[in-house]
Amino acid sequence: MDDIVKQAMAKWPNVPDCYGWLGLDARGNWYMRDDRAQAAGAFDSGQPGAKGSLLQHEKLIDFIGRNYSADAKGCWFFQNGPQRVYVELQAAPLVWRVQADFTVKDHRGRSAQVQSCWLDELGHLFLAADTGLGLVHTQDMERAADAVERGLWLPQDVASQVLPRQFGFVKSPQALRSQ
């Protein structure tokens, strides 16, 4: 976590959390979800406009990535100064990029050690690593298939609806809060 964030948290300890305003898609892209996007539907609904606006400012994206973490309930958030901005997930809290040597880096560029491999009923490939569960980026499926063919990863079948419970993450902190 950035030092400036830690300082802001100490200075303003009781800032309310923010829900529904930030999303992470299946390709590791961040989306800002204003009132209009939230009214269009859930982040992962596929409804036109529900994702919101793609963030493109590199310094903001890097800042979010450096301050991205999970709470004890498995809700992922971006610590924005003293405020937690909870993230709506399209698929998983991390998105893996497979390197030429079959190592992986998450959408923030951080390396991880693959522990297991999972294939859901839709053909999505997930990797559980020492840093959490993530979806393999669509552009890296050829490398992922090579890793499977070489026996480096052994995919196990999993139903997509059990992934959050099995791996301890919450796809929609906003929906959980509403319950």
Side-chain angles (χ1 to χ4, degrees):
M1 190 177 304
D2 288 1
D3 286 337
I4 194 166
V5 171
K6 292 176 188 173
Q7 292 167 5
M9 290 169 63
K11 187 173 182 179
W12 298 290
N14 297 316
V15 174
D17 297 333
C18 179
Y19 291 86
W21 287 81
L22 186 63
L24 178 69
D25 78 358
R27 300 187 109 210
N29 296 312
W30 297 103
Y31 284 82
M32 185 63 65
R33 303 184 70 238
D34 60 12
D35 288 330
R36 176 181 261 172
Q38 291 181 52
F43 182 68
D44 64 351
S45 69
Q47 295 297 319
K51 271 189 171 180
S53 301
L54 176 66
L55 293 181
Q56 297 180 342
H57 190 280
E58 288 301 318
K59 288 185 179 184
L60 176 58
I61 292 167
D62 290 344
F63 182 65
I64 292 170
R66 287 193 312 272
N67 297 286
Y68 180 59
S69 188
D71 68 13
K73 294 178 186 173
C75 296
W76 285 74
F77 64 90
F78 152 54
Q79 188 71 48
N80 183 26
Q83 183 177 54
R84 282 188 176 181
V85 178
Y86 282 93
V87 178
E88 299 293 298
L89 305 172
Q90 184 175 10
L94 302 170
V95 177
W96 300 118
R97 300 307 313 254
V98 181
Q99 308 303 299
D101 63 356
F102 305 111
T103 59
V104 296
K105 291 185 178 186
D106 68 21
H107 63 280
R108 302 169 298 167
R110 296 182 180 166
S111 297
Q113 297 297 316
V114 175
Q115 298 171 334
S116 60
C117 181
W118 302 87
L119 185 65
D120 75 5
E121 71 277 6
L122 302 172
H124 298 140
L125 189 66
F126 294 86
L127 301 175
D130 56 339
T131 56
L133 183 79
L135 176 68
V136 173
H137 194 287
T138 56
Q139 291 179 331
D140 294 342
M141 287 304 293
E142 187 173 342
R143 279 192 184 148
D146 288 345
V148 169
E149 286 179 7
R150 292 174 188 224
L152 300 173
W153 302 340
L154 304 172
Q156 301 170 61
D157 290 334
V158 66
S160 58
Q161 72 269 14
V162 304
L163 284 168
R165 184 174 13 112
Q166 184 170 343
F167 291 96
F169 69 93
V170 175
K171 282 184 71 176
S172 177
Q174 183 178 30
L176 179 66
R177 180 176 182 238
S178 300
Q179 294 175 350

